[in-house]
Amino acid sequence: GCGQSATAEVPAAETTQAPAQEEAQAAAEETAADAAAESGAVALAGMTIGYCMPDTSESFLSWLSNSVKDLAAADGVTVDIADAAGSATTQISQIENFAASGTDLIIVMAVEPTGVTDAIERAQAAGSMVMVAGGDTGAYDAIMFTDQYEDGTMMAEMGAAWVEATFPDAEPGSIEIALLEDRSTPEANSRCDGMNTITDICDKVTIVQTVGSIKTNDAAQAAMENIMQTNPEIKLVLSYNSGGAMGVNEFATRAGSPVKDASQFAVFASDLDEASIAAIAQSGDNSSVFRGLIKFGSDDLPGDTYNLAKKILLNETYEVENPDPLTKITIDNVADYQ
Amino acid sequence: MEPILTLKNITKLYPGVRALDDFSIEFKPGEIHALLGENGAGKSTLIKVISGAIEPTAGEIVYKNKTYSRMTPKISRDNGIEVIYQEFNLVDTLSAAENICMGDRFGRFVDFKKMEKIAADIFKQFKIDINPKALVEGMTPAHKQIVEISKAISKKCELLIMDEPSAPLTVKEVECMFDIIEVLKKKGITIIYISHRMDEIFRIADRVTVMRDGTFVKTLLTKETNRDELISLMVGRELSSDYPKPKKHYDEEILRLEHIYGNGDSNISFSLRKGEILGLAGLVGAGRTELARLIYGADRMDSGKIYLEGKEIKIKSTSDAIHYGIGLIPEDRKNQGCFLEQSIEWNIAFNNIRRFSKSGIVNQKQTEEAAKKYGEAMSIKTPSYVQDVKNLSGGNQQKVVIAKTLAANSRIIIFDEPTRGIDVGAKQEIYELMCALADEGIGIIMISSDMEELLGMSQRIIVLAEGKKAGELEKEEFSQTAVLKYASSCG
Amino acid sequence: MKEKVIKILKKYTIILVLIGLILFFSIINPVFFSLTNFTNIFVQQSYVIIAAIGLAFVMISGGMDLSVGYQMSLVGVITAVSMMWLNLPVLFSVLIGLAMGVLLGIINGVAAVKLKVHPLIITLGTMTIFQGTSYIISNSNPIFGLPDSFKFLGQGYVGPIPFSVIAMVIVAFFASFVLNKTYFGRYVYALGSNEEAAHLAGVNTKKIKICVFMICGFFVALSAIILVGRAGSATSATGVGTEFTCMTAAVLGGISFKGGSGKVWGVITGVLILGVLSSGMQIIGLGTYPQYIAKGIVLLAAVGFDNYQKNTKIKKTEKAVEA
Amino acid sequence: MKEKVIKILKKYTIILVLIGLILFFSIINPVFFSLTNFTNIFVQQSYVIIAAIGLAFVMISGGMDLSVGYQMSLVGVITAVSMMWLNLPVLFSVLIGLAMGVLLGIINGVAAVKLKVHPLIITLGTMTIFQGTSYIISNSNPIFGLPDSFKFLGQGYVGPIPFSVIAMVIVAFFASFVLNKTYFGRYVYALGSNEEAAHLAGVNTKKIKICVFMICGFFVALSAIILVGRAGSATSATGVGTEFTCMTAAVLGGISFKGGSGKVWGVITGVLILGVLSSGMQIIGLGTYPQYIAKGIVLLAAVGFDNYQKNTKIKKTEKAVEA
Ligand SMILES: Nc1ncnc2c1ncn2[C@@H]1O[C@H](COP(=O)(O)OP(=O)(O)OP(=O)(O)O)[C@@H](O)[C@H]1O
Ligand SMILES: Nc1ncnc2c1ncn2[C@@H]1O[C@H](COP(=O)(O)OP(=O)(O)OP(=O)(O)O)[C@@H](O)[C@H]1O
Ligand SMILES: O[C@@H]1[C@@H](O)[C@H](O)OC[C@H]1O
Ligand SMILES: [Mg+2]
Ligand SMILES: [Mg+2]
């Protein structure tokens, strides 16, 4: 009975996110895993996972945590999501509270990886298993980590490729570009460092403007309006996240925009969400200038996360170190993600 | 004898106002020296210069043979000058005892026992039952004033300045205060005493200085002058010493209260005729203000009935009261009466602003006219009506409050301590105004702690004691002893 | 005469600060001094100005509204949800958004009146309630692909003038009119300067309190709608933090925390100072963190200078009288 | 007798709220009612309590300090930089951190006194200055691998009792003593309730103003050090936002925004209410967003209830007088 409901629920949750062919593949994998899951699900029922999220006001993170919660619910596993709302201290307390209430597994996506190390060790000592996702916290039973520097670097690569394709004959240093950064957390900081490698990858570009603390649509629009005052020739923008990129896109495509030729303008960013996918899909006919983003995690990040969690809970063998794959999404492969 | 304090050529300027103009004066050690002048003459400004609360624009201060170009509150206190300001300067969230001992140090740490004893001792002299531990917050103006006076006299001072100390007090406490002043005088303390109550000056002052428009007029020995001379020096004209009388008599009842309970008052009934001036007497805490607030809808009644011209009315809010033509001139001008940050004109028009508006929009011209009309009726002393009320002298602020209520065209007006802090000239004007209002058929309830004025102005007096009606006196029964007898009766 | 000029200058010190900043940035980088740039600043700040004027009503009445940011979040989400998920017509959705703003204002006002607690604390509480509600409704998802007719509110032009700027000007005139010319406006000032005296003067202080919050909610909702139109999408993070900008601007513009004073032009000037500052610092290429420091210093300098001017007024006029 | 009990209950209403919440959560999930959990809550809240007590000094004196969060950020970064980048001894680094806190407090105080502007506005300005400085120093990098002897301050135990709790208790007693038993403390109340009266009584109000900010800075620095010790690393984001928690807690605990009143035990109770609430809601498994809503409602209910109690008190005593 339990296995039945698991198979019934999982694809339903996936249909909105996973591409069609992936779905078939995933379904196949699920059936294979089903036999094991059948017995596992019985053992799993009643177990608890505490999911420590850095900030669920980011739509990506909220989608991720809710998806994992749905997957687990099918096995009778309770997932309590704790939102640190960007505060490293709150997160420490939340880890402690999960440990105090005897949570079987705590998943930590750290606000500040080095800041939760001690709290994780205390939680482990108190008998909880800890699985880390995101930045390296130093202590964990298993980790799915995102290399934020690599994320930024890949964004730079996409930008560089677009420049090479669009301006094949440009002189070195002749293409003006801008970076919209956010360095308010160490994680964010290293992603921005990665973004800055674009000048090493592509000699055609010069970074003429770097604006900090840009994470939202409106902030990005205002920043672009100001930037284009001094540097009207800017062709490319790398944005810390997709929220900012959406603002740049809105700015570039709206009536009366200083961006005269949309085909000669691009913005790239990180973090996948529905809105960004839709925008990238429209970049083919230049009705959007949001041309690419870096998605981290496999095509089924919630599934991967939950599968690892399940293994830990059932005391099965699992990989301790699980680097998240990073994927470039552009007009070429966006159809797979719609 | 060497003067203890000499002010030489003091000038103090405010925007558009010369509050003090080349003013010089001497105070002799051990004397009680009264300052007399109309509202806005500069009395409070003068004492603030002495205490260091403000800095004079020019001139110098010689105190105990030392010359200062300005004082500071600290210097003056360290040198034995204590001041009771016209407006309260109390810390509401601290106890009476702590307020009284504010700024004193006994030992390393705060000694609450000692402070409470000091407070209790002084309260005993006032024959008043205030708990030294009680917070000042929530005290009646009279009790606050007693705390204020206690604060000054608890210190070892050489010069005590009292700016209208009797204004919030009733006869009983004023008597106690005079006893205390007597004792201080015997100790050789110099006292500067400001009051608009002429009888007080004649009772306690050795010398009196009259000032006008910030200038020095004359210093006289009290025993060599008289009321009329002082008044004419002050206001530059003769004033009759009689209370004016309303000329018309009406028989119709305009307001009747039946068994009013609430707000600490119980079972109060009386009626008020058109054109009548009805006095409400009582000691501190008798519940007169409370009654006024019930009638005015500022506080809710527990039970009882109110009839306006024979018809029962329900007053649930102040706007109901205003709607029925009831006006209140509250006793505490600073906290209840006016909007200090706004202009005179704005204040005067305020109570009636809806009537000066058409479809919500204020008719500026009408408000200006009303302000001018009522402001001039009250002869408010100011360079212009766009001046903020906070810049007016205390008495002139009171006039603004009255003008504001008058401008609302009321049929019944409750005056709660209307002449508190008002100069003799203006008092006379207010009395005349009350009579004129009465002649128009307006019913007036007058609450006053100035016994003489209450007896002089009222046509009938109701005495409250401990929130109950203790007695009613007709004109022919009027006397101070009769009032006091009822006032100190219990229930 | 000279005295009069000085008096006027004193009254409008804060405008001098604004002009000073504009000159400063224009000298360092002439690009700053251009029509486009000024239009940009106006467009960027128009939604802030509208919200700040709403907040000004509350502040003049002696209150405070910390929930402005999450009101915007909630209104934005609800408007977008109406259009995109419930498929309601744009106009109708906008009306729902505005009504929602009014409702949130009423909630704040009624809570302040009933619980008899300072609005700052009330709105500290409602703020998190609005936040939770907004996230529950949006489920943290961005709502995008808003129709062009809606985006017009944030991005469109009427002739050469951005629609949002027109909305802002109308709001400013309307608010200024209400505050200065109607008796309601006087009641608002009265409530802020002496609540007890206002009560004794027959003002239904409770009603006025609820009204100012309602007005604030309405303007905040309008601001949110313009902001969402500009962004082209709504999320629960939209508008969050605006209360801080509005508060700072209001204070810069001479609205006292104690209530009872303040003018609409002051609020607008305050917002523009902040806007010019952030746009100017970016244009002259100051780094993000040095920008923070500069912003703090300018804020302190501006309020300090304003205050200094007001204090010296007395002394200078004194001399003038003497002369 | 009965009257006296009622009076005491009224005075300590807020403690009843705390007890009520604890019972509520314990009934729903007995795990809540355990020594570990209570220890957790105390440890989690000890740094908040210390900072809130610092802020209480400022608030009782009638001021406000919005810069608390970035003071913590700056102190944390400077302490960590001293240890890790400048290789200074732990004790010396801690002293530098504390001295820094005092300095930041003095900056706030002097600015408030000199510019004659309400501290809320002053600290709105210094807040962004401290923020910029903190980020410039840390260059947005985390400083981790702090020595164990330092981490002891945030994580260590003396016998069975966490060090941070001991520090908190000492701070509470000290602050309570200063506020209630010293002249300075009484002047802080006087200043908050009536600055003019205090001034006229010969109190050096400027000095007291600077002192309360200094004390606040010191406690905030101590709080930051404990917090960094607890996290084992420092970043410029450390402590940011604490001012809101402190402010909410102070208000819950009966410190008025107008100044002049408030008690240390009230502040502690206020912080614990927030702590119990967030820990309890997590333990009973309430979703994040419903948590926000619940928190807002509890805050409103608590202040409303407290106020209701206080108001009925007056009426009842009146009746007692009548009887
Ligand atoms: N802060 C101020 N700003 C402007 N003008 C002021 C200020 N304080 C007092 N004045 C003006 O100075 C003059 C003298 O005021 P002062 O308070 O000394 O009068 P007073 O004699 O004490 O009057 P009263 O009997 O009414 O108390 C008045 O005209 C008043 O308007
Ligand atoms: N120290 C006090 N603490 C609390 N309540 C008090 C105190 N003193 C008086 N009251 C209350 O105030 C009421 C009367 O106050 P109040 O003194 O204003 O009356 P009043 O007759 O108007 O006197 P006043 O001449 O001072 O205006 C009493 O019923 C009493 O309940
Ligand atoms: O910005 C986020 C980053 O901090 C986290 O580590 O990964 C998801 C991103 O959205
Ligand atoms: Mg005076
Ligand atoms: Mg009275």
Side-chain angles (χ1 to χ4, degrees):
Chain A
C2 291
Q4 284 277 300
S5 70
T7 37
E9 290 278 330
V10 173
E14 279 181 353
T15 37
T16 49
Q17 295 302 324
Q21 82 237 61
E22 298 289 326
E23 193 183 316
Q25 198 185 325
E29 279 172 13
E30 284 297 325
T31 357
D34 235 345
E38 187 86 25
S39 60
V42 177
L44 282 171
M47 293 190 127
T48 51
I49 295 178
Y51 205 159
C52 294
M53 275 282 148
D55 189 353
T56 52
S57 67
E58 285 194 36
S59 54
F60 169 75
L61 296 178
S62 131
W63 164 77
L64 174 62
S65 51
N66 287 329
S67 308
V68 170
K69 187 177 174 138
D70 292 344
L71 290 177
D75 287 344
V77 174
T78 317
V79 174
D80 288 331
I81 300 168
D83 179 13
S87 159
T89 345
T90 306
Q91 192 162 57
I92 293 176
S93 303
Q94 289 170 336
I95 295 171
E96 286 171 349
N97 294 342
F98 279 136
S101 51
T103 307
D104 299 302
L105 172 69
I106 305 173
I107 308 179
V108 179
M109 203 163 183
V111 176
E112 208 290 84
T114 59
V116 289
T117 315
D118 297 324
I120 290 177
E121 283 168 353
R122 288 196 295 271
Q124 287 172 321
S128 294
M129 301 293 279
V130 178
M131 169 180 151
V132 168
D136 188 348
T137 57
Y140 42 75
D141 293 295
I143 183 170
M144 293 173 67
F145 63 93
T146 308
D147 186 339
Q148 292 287 353
Y149 183 81
E150 181 62 19
D151 182 300
T153 310
M154 287 173 68
M155 201 197 298
E157 286 166 8
M158 282 197 296
W162 177 80
V163 169
E164 295 293 350
T166 317
F167 309 101
D169 308 322
E171 299 287 315
S174 65
I175 304 297
E176 295 188 357
I177 73 167
L179 304 189
L180 302 185
E181 297 187 336
D182 174 58
R183 291 177 179 268
S184 59
T185 65
E187 287 273 274
N189 200 30
S190 60
R191 183 188 294 174
C192 292
D193 286 345
M195 286 157 61
N196 274 276
T197 59
I198 187 163
T199 47
D200 306 333
I201 307 169
C202 173
D203 68 352
K204 290 194 169 74
V205 305
T206 320
I207 300 172
V208 290
Q209 288 269 358
T210 300
V211 186
S213 293
I214 306 293
K215 281 201 287 191
T216 63
N217 184 313
D218 183 58
Q221 286 197 48
M224 287 313 295
E225 281 157 1
N226 297 333
I227 288 174
M228 298 293 273
Q229 289 287 304
T230 39
N231 301 85
E233 289 308 314
I234 283 175
K235 300 290 182 238
L236 170 67
V237 179
L238 300 186
S239 164
Y240 166 80
N241 66 5
S242 42
M246 290 300 286
V248 176
N249 188 38
E250 205 65 46
F251 160 82
T253 55
R254 73 187 179 209
S257 167
V259 175
K260 293 290 170 257
D261 182 357
S263 70
Q264 308 248 307
F265 194 89
V267 55
F268 294 91
S270 180
D271 301 357
L272 171 132
D273 63 22
E274 270 183 86
S276 317
I277 291 296
I280 293 173
Q282 286 170 8
S283 67
D285 60 3
N286 294 315
S287 60
S288 157
V289 297
F290 191 172
R291 299 179 188 281
L293 65 74
I294 304 299
K295 151 183 181 327
F296 61 88
S298 68
D299 288 344
D300 181 17
L301 187 57
D304 290 353
T305 305
Y306 180 59
N307 284 333
L308 181 56
K310 218 156 51 174
K311 284 182 185 158
I312 300 174
L313 284 173
L314 294 171
N315 223 349
E316 291 170 4
T317 48
Y318 56 85
E319 290 290 331
V320 172
E321 314 257 324
N322 305 275
D324 278 336
L326 295 168
T327 318
K328 293 174 185 169
I329 300 178
T330 63
I331 187 71
D332 302 328
N333 61 347
V334 69
D336 300 343
Y337 298 90
Q338 275 177 303
Chain B
M1 227 188 313
E2 276 283 298
I4 178 169
L5 171 70
T6 310
L7 301 184
K8 290 185 181 161
N9 310 99
I10 299 284
T11 297
K12 175 69 194 176
L13 303 176
Y14 285 114
V17 180
R18 242 168 223 276
L20 289 175
D21 191 2
D22 200 23
F23 194 97
S24 301
I25 189 170
E26 283 182 0
F27 298 97
K28 293 186 198 151
E31 73 169 336
I32 298 182
H33 193 134
L35 292 181
L36 199 56
E38 284 181 287
N39 295 129
K43 304 178 295 295
S44 298
T45 307
L46 186 73
I47 65 122
K48 283 183 194 157
V49 167
I50 300 171
S51 73
I54 59 172
E55 187 181 353
T57 314
E60 56 188 35
I61 303 153
V62 184
Y63 180 65
K64 294 202 283 183
N65 295 322
K66 242 179 112 183
T67 305
Y68 302 84
S69 69
R70 72 156 302 187
M71 286 291 204
T72 68
K74 181 127 179 52
I75 297 177
S76 71
R77 290 198 73 198
D78 289 350
N79 285 285
I81 300 177
E82 282 302 327
V83 188
I84 297 159
Y85 292 97
Q86 189 173 5
E87 310 290 344
F88 293 126
N89 279 294
L90 296 172
V91 177
D92 276 356
T93 57
L94 296 184
S95 68
E98 278 196 85
N99 267 283
I100 289 170
C101 298
M102 176 74 53
D104 298 337
R105 277 170 184 269
F106 327 100
R108 283 174 75 81
F109 298 114
V110 179
D111 185 346
F112 287 99
K113 288 259 143 52
K114 177 148 189 187
M115 293 194 299
E116 280 151 21
K117 184 166 182 320
I118 291 174
D121 286 348
I122 301 177
F123 292 156
K124 215 177 283 161
Q125 295 180 49
F126 268 105
K127 302 184 184 77
I128 198 144
D129 185 26
I130 302 178
N131 181 353
K133 286 186 192 164
L135 298 190
V136 168
E137 199 169 59
M139 282 190 184
T140 59
H143 285 180
K144 283 188 184 175
Q145 183 67 358
I146 287 164
V147 173
E148 193 78 80
I149 297 172
S150 309
K151 184 165 117 185
I153 64 178
S154 74
K155 315 277 162 8
K156 277 202 187 60
C157 68
E158 288 168 66
L159 174 62
L160 175 63
I161 305 176
M162 309 174 91
D163 195 352
E164 300 194 34
S166 60
L169 300 180
T170 55
V171 203
K172 196 172 130 238
E173 299 85 39
V174 174
E175 285 306 321
C176 298
M177 184 180 76
F178 284 163
D179 292 345
I180 292 168
I181 289 178
E182 209 57 44
V183 175
L184 296 176
K185 188 181 156 131
K186 284 205 184 98
K187 286 191 197 153
I189 293 169
T190 314
I191 294 170
I192 302 177
Y193 190 91
I194 299 174
S195 177
H196 289 293
R197 296 184 184 169
M198 211 60 86
D199 52 325
E200 294 178 356
I201 289 172
F202 282 101
R203 219 178 120 184
I204 60 164
D206 300 311
R207 295 199 299 162
V208 51
T209 293
V210 177
M211 47 199 297
R212 194 161 67 210
D213 295 336
T215 60
F216 176 87
V217 176
K218 201 170 184 181
T219 300
L220 307 119
L221 284 173
T222 320
K223 41 182 193 290
E224 291 173 5
T225 181
N226 58 46
R227 192 189 136 96
D228 291 341
E229 183 186 15
L230 289 180
I231 290 175
S232 71
L233 285 173
M234 237 170 97
V235 300
R237 65 194 153 99
E238 299 286 329
L239 276 184
S240 107
S241 54
D242 293 335
Y243 287 96
K245 299 264 170 296
K247 293 180 199 64
K248 288 197 193 154
H249 181 87
Y250 297 84
D251 283 321
E252 308 93 296
E253 169 193 279
I254 187 162
L255 182 76
R256 188 166 81 247
L257 309 188
E258 282 183 3
H259 311 295
I260 302 287
Y261 283 83
N263 216 359
D265 285 337
S266 45
N267 198 15
I268 293 181
S269 308
F270 64 79
S271 78
L272 172 72
R273 269 183 288 114
K274 273 180 85 171
E276 181 184 28
I277 300 177
L278 173 67
L280 264 190
L283 299 177
V284 171
R288 297 166 298 172
T289 300
E290 282 61 26
L291 181 62
R293 288 177 63 93
L294 288 179
I295 300 172
Y296 189 61
D299 293 319
R300 293 288 283 271
M301 283 193 306
D302 291 343
S303 64
K305 290 186 168 140
I306 296 182
Y307 296 89
L308 181 71
E309 290 169 342
K311 273 197 278 311
E312 188 182 349
I313 54 168
K314 294 261 177 258
I315 298 176
K316 295 206 195 73
S317 67
T318 49
S319 58
D320 286 348
I322 292 173
H323 168 78
Y324 288 121
I326 302 174
L328 170 72
I329 292 159
E331 61 179 336
D332 181 346
R333 62 171 166 264
K334 214 170 159 188
N335 293 314
Q336 306 174 322
C338 46
F339 302 94
L340 294 173
E341 315 290 326
Q342 308 292 350
S343 72
I344 298 173
E345 182 185 300
W346 196 98
N347 269 274
I348 294 179
F350 191 77
N351 282 25
N352 208 20
I353 196 70
R354 292 177 87 147
R355 242 173 268 165
F356 297 142
S357 309
K358 222 173 137 190
S359 48
I361 300 162
V362 175
N363 184 330
Q364 191 63 32
K365 217 173 132 224
Q366 273 184 354
T367 63
E368 277 166 27
E369 280 166 3
K372 200 156 166 275
K373 179 174 162 203
Y374 293 99
E376 277 169 7
M378 295 306 307
S379 53
I380 294 166
K381 188 176 158 74
T382 172
S384 106
Y385 281 13
V386 295
Q387 177 83 271
D388 285 353
V389 171
K390 66 166 182 271
N391 294 335
L392 295 181
S393 77
N396 280 301
Q397 288 178 0
Q398 179 71 0
K399 291 182 187 173
V400 170
V401 178
I402 299 178
K404 178 164 149 271
T405 311
L406 291 183
N409 302 323
S410 311
R411 283 189 287 173
I412 296 164
I413 303 182
I414 307 169
F415 288 79
D416 195 355
E417 309 287 0
T419 61
R420 181 176 284 176
I422 285 217
D423 70 48
V424 271
K427 260 185 201 167
Q428 198 66 31
E429 287 162 22
I430 290 176
Y431 298 148
E432 274 157 18
L433 197 109
M434 286 170 78
C435 291
L437 293 170
D439 284 339
E440 284 172 35
I442 291 173
I444 292 175
I445 298 174
M446 179 187 195
I447 300 174
S448 175
S449 297
D450 182 334
M451 186 71 78
E452 198 196 318
E453 148 184 306
L454 198 67
L455 295 172
M457 287 303 296
S458 311
Q459 290 157 358
R460 195 156 51 98
I461 290 179
I462 296 209
V463 189
L464 298 189
E466 296 187 356
K468 297 190 180 68
K469 184 170 159 185
E472 188 169 333
L473 296 165
E474 293 297 333
K475 188 96 197 171
E476 49 281 8
E477 306 169 88
F478 279 11
S479 76
Q480 184 150 335
T481 40
V483 172
L484 281 177
K485 196 185 98 214
Y486 282 126
S488 24
S489 72
C490 293
Chain C
M1 182 54 218
K2 205 178 114 201
E3 205 193 323
K4 208 165 177 183
V5 171
I6 292 176
K7 216 168 160 182
I8 290 177
L9 286 184
K10 298 269 157 70
K11 197 169 157 194
Y12 299 105
T13 311
I14 202 69
I15 292 188
L16 295 184
V17 172
L18 178 60
I19 294 174
L21 282 174
I22 294 176
L23 290 181
F24 173 81
F25 289 120
S26 304
I27 290 168
I28 297 203
N29 188 343
V31 161
F32 187 88
F33 202 81
S34 67
L35 188 62
T36 347
N37 191 43
F38 293 146
T39 315
N40 275 348
I41 292 178
F42 265 108
V43 174
Q44 285 163 16
Q45 302 306 325
S46 56
Y47 85 92
V48 183
I49 289 178
I50 294 174
I53 288 175
L55 180 61
F57 272 84
V58 174
M59 287 179 70
I60 291 174
S61 81
M64 178 47 88
D65 189 349
L66 292 179
S67 71
V68 164
Y70 283 106
Q71 281 179 49
M72 291 181 70
S73 159
L74 189 48
V75 168
V77 164
I78 283 182
T79 311
V81 163
S82 304
M83 276 182 290
M84 305 306 293
W85 296 354
L86 309 179
N87 293 315
L88 300 176
V90 169
L91 183 67
F92 194 56
S93 305
V94 167
L95 291 180
I96 289 179
L98 294 175
M100 191 66 200
V102 171
L103 177 68
L104 299 181
I106 291 178
I107 291 175
N108 281 332
V110 170
V113 164
K114 289 283 165 207
L115 299 179
K116 296 195 182 95
V117 177
H118 193 283
L120 204 143
I121 303 160
I122 295 294
T123 55
L124 205 61
T126 55
M127 174 173 93
T128 72
I129 297 177
F130 298 163
Q131 179 182 14
T133 314
S134 171
Y135 276 102
I136 288 175
I137 294 177
S138 74
N139 203 10
S140 307
N141 288 318
I143 305 151
F144 58 94
L146 303 180
D148 285 345
S149 57
F150 179 80
K151 291 209 266 185
F152 176 84
L153 300 174
Q155 305 179 5
Y157 278 73
V158 178
I161 307 170
F163 176 80
S164 57
V165 174
I166 295 178
M168 181 263 279
V169 170
I170 293 175
V171 165
F173 272 102
F174 175 75
S176 197
F177 178 81
V178 170
L179 283 173
N180 296 317
K181 301 288 176 204
T182 68
Y183 73 81
F184 173 80
R186 290 200 185 201
Y187 284 180
V188 174
Y189 282 98
L191 184 60
S193 59
N194 189 340
E195 182 169 347
E196 178 63 10
H199 172 60
L200 288 180
V203 177
N204 187 338
T205 51
K206 294 180 183 175
K207 208 168 92 186
I208 306 284
K209 258 188 207 171
I210 296 174
C211 281
V212 291
F213 274 104
M214 223 170 78
I215 293 175
C216 177
F218 178 80
F219 285 158
V220 165
L222 183 60
S223 163
I225 286 166
I226 288 176
L227 176 60
V228 171
R230 178 168 149 86
S233 65
T235 75
S236 288
T238 305
V240 175
T242 309
E243 67 279 10
F244 255 85
T245 319
C246 290
M247 209 167 92
T248 312
V251 165
L252 262 175
I255 293 197
S256 133
F257 270 101
K258 286 180 232 127
S261 64
K263 295 274 169 213
V264 170
W265 66 258
V267 178
I268 297 178
T269 314
V271 176
L272 290 179
I273 287 179
L274 295 178
V276 161
L277 205 56
S278 76
S279 141
M281 290 192 297
Q282 198 187 321
I283 284 180
I284 66 170
L286 207 59
T288 310
Y289 300 123
Q291 274 187 33
Y292 287 150
I293 297 182
K295 188 178 148 193
I297 291 174
V298 170
L299 173 64
L300 291 183
V303 290
F305 181 58
D306 193 30
N307 217 285
Y308 170 78
Q309 290 285 57
K310 283 197 186 114
N311 286 346
T312 51
K313 178 164 80 180
I314 296 170
K315 283 195 187 143
K316 287 221 182 102
T317 346
E318 269 174 12
K319 288 216 181 88
V321 171
E322 269 185 335
Chain D
M1 182 55 218
K2 204 180 115 202
E3 207 193 318
K4 210 167 178 183
V5 172
I6 293 177
K7 218 171 162 180
I8 289 177
L9 286 184
K10 299 267 157 70
K11 199 168 158 194
Y12 299 104
T13 310
I14 202 71
I15 292 188
L16 294 184
V17 172
L18 177 61
I19 294 174
L21 283 174
I22 293 176
L23 290 181
F24 174 78
F25 288 121
S26 304
I27 290 167
I28 297 203
N29 188 344
V31 162
F32 186 87
F33 201 82
S34 67
L35 187 63
T36 348
N37 191 43
F38 291 146
T39 314
N40 270 351
I41 293 178
F42 264 107
V43 174
Q44 284 162 14
Q45 302 306 327
S46 57
Y47 86 94
V48 182
I49 290 178
I50 294 174
I53 289 175
L55 180 61
F57 273 84
V58 174
M59 286 178 72
I60 292 174
S61 84
M64 178 46 87
D65 188 351
L66 292 179
S67 71
V68 163
Y70 283 107
Q71 281 179 49
M72 291 182 72
S73 158
L74 190 47
V75 167
V77 164
I78 283 182
T79 311
V81 162
S82 304
M83 276 183 289
M84 306 306 293
W85 297 354
L86 309 179
N87 291 315
L88 298 177
V90 168
L91 183 68
F92 194 56
S93 304
V94 167
L95 292 179
I96 290 179
L98 293 174
M100 191 67 200
V102 171
L103 177 69
L104 299 180
I106 292 177
I107 292 175
N108 281 332
V110 170
V113 165
K114 289 282 165 209
L115 299 179
K116 296 194 183 98
V117 177
H118 193 283
L120 203 144
I121 303 159
I122 296 293
T123 55
L124 207 60
T126 55
M127 173 173 94
T128 72
I129 298 178
F130 298 163
Q131 179 183 15
T133 315
S134 171
Y135 275 100
I136 287 174
I137 293 177
S138 74
N139 202 12
S140 309
N141 286 315
I143 304 151
F144 53 89
L146 303 181
D148 285 344
S149 57
F150 178 80
K151 290 207 272 190
F152 177 83
L153 301 174
Q155 304 179 9
Y157 278 72
V158 179
I161 307 169
F163 176 81
S164 56
V165 174
I166 295 178
M168 181 264 277
V169 171
I170 294 175
V171 165
F173 273 102
F174 176 75
S176 198
F177 179 80
V178 170
L179 283 174
N180 294 317
K181 302 288 175 205
T182 67
Y183 289 102
F184 171 79
R186 304 317 291 176
Y187 292 165
V188 172
Y189 283 96
L191 179 62
S193 165
N194 190 339
E195 181 168 349
E196 182 65 9
H199 173 62
L200 291 176
V203 175
N204 187 339
T205 51
K206 292 181 184 174
K207 209 168 88 187
I208 307 259
K209 258 189 208 172
I210 296 175
C211 280
V212 291
F213 274 104
M214 224 170 76
I215 293 175
C216 177
F218 178 80
F219 285 159
V220 165
L222 183 60
S223 161
I225 286 166
I226 289 177
L227 175 59
V228 171
R230 177 167 148 83
S233 72
T235 75
S236 289
T238 307
V240 174
T242 309
E243 67 278 9
F244 256 85
T245 318
C246 291
M247 207 166 94
T248 312
V251 165
L252 263 176
I255 293 197
S256 132
F257 269 101
K258 285 179 230 126
S261 63
K263 295 274 171 216
V264 170
W265 67 259
V267 178
I268 297 178
T269 315
V271 175
L272 290 179
I273 287 180
L274 296 178
V276 162
L277 205 56
S278 74
S279 143
M281 290 192 299
Q282 195 188 331
I283 285 179
I284 67 170
L286 204 62
T288 309
Y289 301 123
Q291 276 188 30
Y292 287 145
I293 297 181
K295 187 178 148 190
I297 291 174
V298 170
L299 173 65
L300 291 183
V303 291
F305 182 57
D306 192 31
N307 216 288
Y308 170 77
Q309 291 286 57
K310 282 198 187 113
N311 285 348
T312 50
K313 179 168 75 183
I314 295 170
K315 283 198 186 137
K316 289 225 178 97
T317 346
E318 268 175 13
K319 291 227 174 81
V321 170
E322 268 184 337

